[in-house]
Amino acid sequence: MANRKILIVEDSPTMRQLIAFALRRLPGLTVIEASDGVDGLKKLAAEQVDLIFTDINMPIMDGLKLVSLVRNDPAHCQIPIVIITTEGAAEDRDRAIALGANDYITKPIQAGRIIAVARELLKLP
């Protein structure tokens, strides 16, 4: 199986570790971490990734702006994006989906949900 790369864009080091720990349970995945949207775009420019998990509320560039920029970039517009956030209101979810997010997970996260979404979007068994 080809190695898949997942980019986690999250300003909290603890949350990044929790998400990365969950994803590393899946074989054949490499996790790349970024601390905000700008850092995420830099990592995306340097490496081809297969899936992005991003927070919404981050300094410098938030996750919604990141989703918008990725969706408007022909080189990256097909990459699935999952929002992971504390913002649980329906209008926040609707806005993220309207911008192009493929899924929306509210914190506190559950490892099983992270793994299930990654499996689905990467089409893993």
Side-chain angles (χ1 to χ4, degrees):
M1 176 167 111
N3 191 35
R4 304 290 189 91
K5 293 182 183 175
I6 298 180
L7 175 62
I8 301 170
V9 185
E10 165 68 64
D11 60 319
S12 163
T14 303
M15 282 305 302
R16 277 198 316 269
Q17 286 179 336
L18 287 171
I19 298 165
F21 181 75
L23 291 170
R24 286 187 177 116
R25 294 184 193 175
L26 292 168
L29 290 183
T30 299
V31 174
I32 302 163
E33 299 181 24
S35 58
D36 59 59
V38 171
D39 190 26
L41 286 177
K42 287 179 187 171
K43 301 277 171 73
L44 197 55
E47 300 202 48
Q48 183 60 41
V49 302
D50 301 289
L51 177 60
I52 299 170
F53 282 89
T54 185
D55 188 12
I56 288 180
N57 298 315
M58 297 180 289
I60 305 173
M61 180 192 296
D62 70 27
L64 295 178
K65 180 69 173 175
L66 176 64
V67 170
S68 178
L69 290 171
V70 170
R71 286 294 171 249
N72 288 305
D73 180 346
H76 300 110
C77 64
Q78 297 303 315
I79 300 171
I81 303 172
V82 179
I83 300 284
I84 298 180
T85 184
T86 56
E87 305 299 328
E91 52 271 9
D92 293 318
R93 183 185 195 289
D94 293 345
R95 182 166 175 229
I97 298 298
L99 285 171
N102 296 80
D103 209 330
Y104 192 93
I105 300 172
T106 53
K107 296 175 185 175
I109 62 165
Q110 297 170 343
R113 175 92 167 106
I114 299 287
I115 292 168
V117 168
R119 274 189 204 277
E120 177 186 338
L121 292 173
L122 293 173
K123 298 176 177 33
L124 299 174

